[in-house]
């Protein structure tokens, strides 16, 4: 399965989710490749911060030819996770065309909900050419017990796109793991963050 994390708005936590998802799929026994399609190279920076053996390989492909170049990797991996780029429309379109599932991370804020229109439009455009393309929202960086956290699913329903049941909270352990080139299950395997990432991966595999 080729799963991309994509949002035209920056700062939604897509790289952290992409890294976390790739780590969880690896720990489930799958052969996983993470493609960094963001010119900022945040996933590559994460990989460079890691000491010792990599948990999974990370390759940089910040080019609008991802959908073509990815074919050279498909046979070697069970899953490929793509960390997409914000604000680069041609690259986003290429990532969408490369994907089986496009996951749109959205923070529970009005700005994120309003700005989702652009990426939803790109996904709907891609679905015209790729009939089996699946897409969904995942609520990320949710602050527990806040009204906006509870109401965001209702607001996103206006986009007529699937919304994953799992939500991922805003937790310090994600930043601590990223700084060391690790994933949360390595830093705090029994934490709420690790549980949420596991649920996120499991729901996607059934999507």
């Amino acid at each position: 399965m080729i799963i991309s994390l994509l949002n035209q708005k920056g700062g939604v936590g897509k790289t952290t989710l992409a890294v976390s998802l790739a780590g969880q799929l690896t720990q489930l026994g799958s052969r996983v490749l993470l493609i960094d399609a963001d010119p900022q190279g945040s996933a590559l920076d994460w990989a460079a911060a890691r000491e010792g053996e990599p948990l999974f390989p990370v390759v940089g492909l910040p080019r609008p030819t991802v959908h073509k170049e990815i074919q050279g990797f498909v046979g070697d991996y069970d899953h490929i996770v793509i960390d997409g780029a914000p604000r680069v429309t041609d690259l986003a379109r290429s990532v969408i065309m490369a994907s089986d599932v496009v996951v749109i991370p959205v923070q529970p804020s009005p700005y994120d909900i309003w700005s989702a229109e652009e990426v939803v439009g790109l996904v709907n455009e891609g679905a015209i050419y790729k009939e089996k393309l699946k897409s969904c929202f995942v609520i990320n960086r949710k602050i527990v017990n806040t009204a906006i956290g509870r109401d965001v699913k209702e607001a996103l329903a206006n986009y007529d796109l699937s919304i994953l049941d799992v939500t991922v909270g805003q937790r310090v352990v994600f930043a601590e793991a990223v700084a060391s080139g690790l994933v949360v299950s390595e830093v705090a395997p029994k934490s709420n963050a690790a549980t949420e990432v596991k649920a996120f991966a499991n729901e996607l595999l059934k999507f």
Side-chain angles (χ1 to χ4, degrees), residues 18 25 35 45 60 64 100 118 138 159 162 177 190 192 196 200-201:
L25 293 173
I35 292 180
D45 290 341
D100 298 313
E118 184 175 5
V138 62
Y159 286 111
S162 297
K190 296 183 180 180
N192 288 331
E196 288 166 356
F200 173 49

Side-chain angles (χ1 to χ4, degrees), residues 16-122:
T16 299
L17 272 183
V19 165
S20 300
L21 174 62
Q24 181 61 38
L25 293 173
T26 298
Q27 290 167 342
L28 290 173
S30 297
R31 299 169 300 161
V32 180
L33 172 68
L34 176 60
I35 292 180
D36 190 341
D38 188 338
Q40 292 184 351
S42 298
L44 288 170
D45 290 341
W46 169 84
R50 186 181 181 90
E51 296 181 2
E53 291 295 317
L55 190 60
F56 47 81
V58 182
V59 174
L61 284 179
R63 300 184 287 275
T65 51
V66 176
H67 62 293
K68 296 178 181 178
E69 296 184 63
I70 200 171
Q71 298 307 315
F73 299 100
V74 170
D76 297 326
Y77 297 96
D78 300 309
H79 302 292
I80 298 177
V81 178
I82 307 175
D83 180 21
R87 299 180 294 275
V88 185
T89 301
D90 289 346
L91 185 47
R93 286 193 174 104
S94 183
V95 167
I96 290 167
M97 295 310 295
S99 304
D100 298 313
V101 180
V102 178
V103 181
I104 305 171
V106 178
Q107 294 182 112
S109 80
Y111 299 108
D112 282 55
I113 294 165
W114 298 331
S115 67
E117 183 175 358
E118 184 175 5
V119 68
V120 170
L122 290 175

Side-chain angles (χ1 to χ4, degrees), residues 86-164:
R87 299 180 294 275
V88 185
T89 301
D90 289 346
L91 185 47
R93 286 193 174 104
S94 183
V95 167
I96 290 167
M97 295 310 295
S99 304
D100 298 313
V101 180
V102 178
V103 181
I104 305 171
V106 178
Q107 294 182 112
S109 80
Y111 299 108
D112 282 55
I113 294 165
W114 298 331
S115 67
E117 183 175 358
E118 184 175 5
V119 68
V120 170
L122 290 175
V123 170
N124 289 339
E125 178 186 297
I128 295 172
Y129 303 98
K130 194 169 185 177
E131 293 182 0
K132 294 183 179 180
L133 179 68
K134 297 180 180 180
S135 56
C136 60
F137 287 113
V138 62
I139 299 168
N140 191 35
R141 292 180 171 173
K142 178 182 176 182
I143 300 174
V144 180
N145 297 325
T146 58
I148 188 66
R150 291 191 296 269
D151 297 344
V152 65
K153 285 189 177 182
E154 182 177 340
L156 288 174
N158 293 325
Y159 286 111
D160 194 28
L161 207 69
S162 297
I163 306 168
L164 296 186

